[in-house]
Amino acid sequence: MAMIVVTGATGALNGATVEHLLKLVPAERIGVSVRDVAKAQHFADRGVRVRRGSYEEPAALRQSFEGADQVLLVSSSDPHADAVSLHRAGIEAAVAAGARRILYTSHQGAGLDSPFHPARDHAATEALLAESGVAWTSLRNGFYMHSLEWMLGPWSESDTIAVPADGPMSWTDRADAAEAAAVILAGERAFDGPVTLTGTSAVTYDDVAAMLGVGRVVLGDEEWVAAQTARGVPEFMARFMLTTYQAAREGRFAGVDPALTELLGREPRTVADFVTTMRGGV
């Protein structure tokens, strides 16, 4: 029996992937590796193998991967962590457990020279995967569109989107990316190396402002950082978020790929759909 083990299954992304996997393969073929097994009880109740594991505990991680044919590693979301070292631990544990393929939740625009800090971590992790000696798939998900809710700032109060200069971004629904990951894990087709999963169009903040029917003001980078800190955002986080706009200016998130549509067998959710929800529509 080919076992699929998913890390980070109590999180929003890989938790949704497990839910979709349960519709595609028998529960006894699915395992999850989680920090807190109590939070994964809802999976255990449905026949999923639940074991404790974290990137900080290699021995437990290897044990949680036991018997895995495929392992899906979730990328670290902690901006303070040494993400590449954590991912290395995950890769080494999967190799030690005898996994045939390692999958990893990467990001569109992964590159060692990107202004967007996580993109560098993703590129470095992909290099580790390539050196692992095991077949690998990097799921380069487009920028999650739910991020727009906080990146747009208080637009509903000011009737204005005031953010730094940007570039086109192929915003992607996290739920769609999770479903596509499940389809890849459960399918027979081999996806080798990077696979880009994006929405069907790339839009700018000018486009989003037009959809919302509000104005658009371009702030200087330092002016925007100051505005964020004035709203109570820690300067570290403001400067971290700023790299998103800087990378967008370079076209790092502008690409559109049909793979997500093909995997889903339908059109993925669009920014227009999301904006309608933000405006209180249905």
Side-chain angles (χ1 to χ4, degrees), residues 5 25 35 43 47 58 64 71 90 116 133 135 148 151 186 206 220 225 240:
V5 176
V25 301
R35 290 177 181 275
F43 289 137
S64 72
V71 173
F116 183 53
L148 274 169
M151 292 183 72
D206 285 351
V225 169
F240 177 83

Side-chain angles (χ1 to χ4, degrees), residues 172-238:
T172 305
D173 186 31
R174 181 172 59 192
D176 285 341
E179 182 176 348
V183 172
I184 290 174
L185 285 164
E188 297 299 321
R189 178 181 168 190
F191 289 83
D192 292 316
V195 178
T196 302
L197 303 172
T198 71
T200 56
S201 63
V203 301
T204 65
Y205 280 93
D206 285 351
D207 298 324
V208 175
M211 293 177 196
L212 287 169
V214 299
R216 161 76 162 101
V217 173
V218 177
L219 299 180
D221 288 359
E222 292 304 318
E223 183 183 10
W224 181 81
V225 169
Q228 294 300 301
T229 56
R231 291 177 55 208
V233 176
E235 184 175 354
F236 168 81
M237 281 306 302

Side-chain angles (χ1 to χ4, degrees), residues 55-263:
Y55 295 151
E56 291 90 349
E57 299 179 69
L61 197 61
R62 285 193 299 272
Q63 197 272 339
S64 72
F65 291 168
E66 181 185 8
D69 180 62
Q70 299 183 85
V71 173
L72 174 58
L73 300 176
V74 69
S75 55
S76 172
S77 59
D78 182 354
H80 297 283
D82 181 352
V84 179
S85 291
L86 294 176
H87 300 159
R88 179 185 290 109
I91 293 167
E92 291 176 349
V95 172
R100 175 184 60 85
R101 177 176 294 275
I102 304 172
L103 298 94
Y104 167 73
T105 59
S106 184
H107 197 286
Q108 179 187 23
L112 294 174
D113 60 346
S114 176
F116 183 53
H117 297 170
R120 304 175 196 172
D121 294 338
H122 291 310
T125 300
E126 289 178 359
L128 293 175
L129 287 165
E131 297 165 2
S132 70
V134 174
W136 61 281
T137 304
S138 179
L139 306 172
R140 288 186 173 180
N141 297 336
F143 220 101
Y144 297 142
M145 65 177 66
H146 68 267
S147 304
L148 274 169
E149 292 225 49
W150 51 267
M151 292 183 72
L152 291 177
W155 64 271
S156 59
E157 302 165 19
S158 62
D159 284 329
T160 302
I161 295 174
V163 295
D166 65 305
M169 298 178 70
S170 50
W171 297 97
T172 305
D173 186 31
R174 181 172 59 192
D176 285 341
E179 182 176 348
V183 172
I184 290 174
L185 285 164
E188 297 299 321
R189 178 181 168 190
F191 289 83
D192 292 316
V195 178
T196 302
L197 303 172
T198 71
T200 56
S201 63
V203 301
T204 65
Y205 280 93
D206 285 351
D207 298 324
V208 175
M211 293 177 196
L212 287 169
V214 299
R216 161 76 162 101
V217 173
V218 177
L219 299 180
D221 288 359
E222 292 304 318
E223 183 183 10
W224 181 81
V225 169
Q228 294 300 301
T229 56
R231 291 177 55 208
V233 176
E235 184 175 354
F236 168 81
M237 281 306 302
R239 294 199 178 278
F240 177 83
M241 292 159 59
L242 177 64
T243 66
T244 301
Y245 301 98
Q246 294 170 334
R249 286 175 215 160
E250 296 182 1
R252 304 275 179 168
F253 312 126
V256 173
D257 195 287
L260 181 59
T261 300
E262 293 168 4
L263 287 163

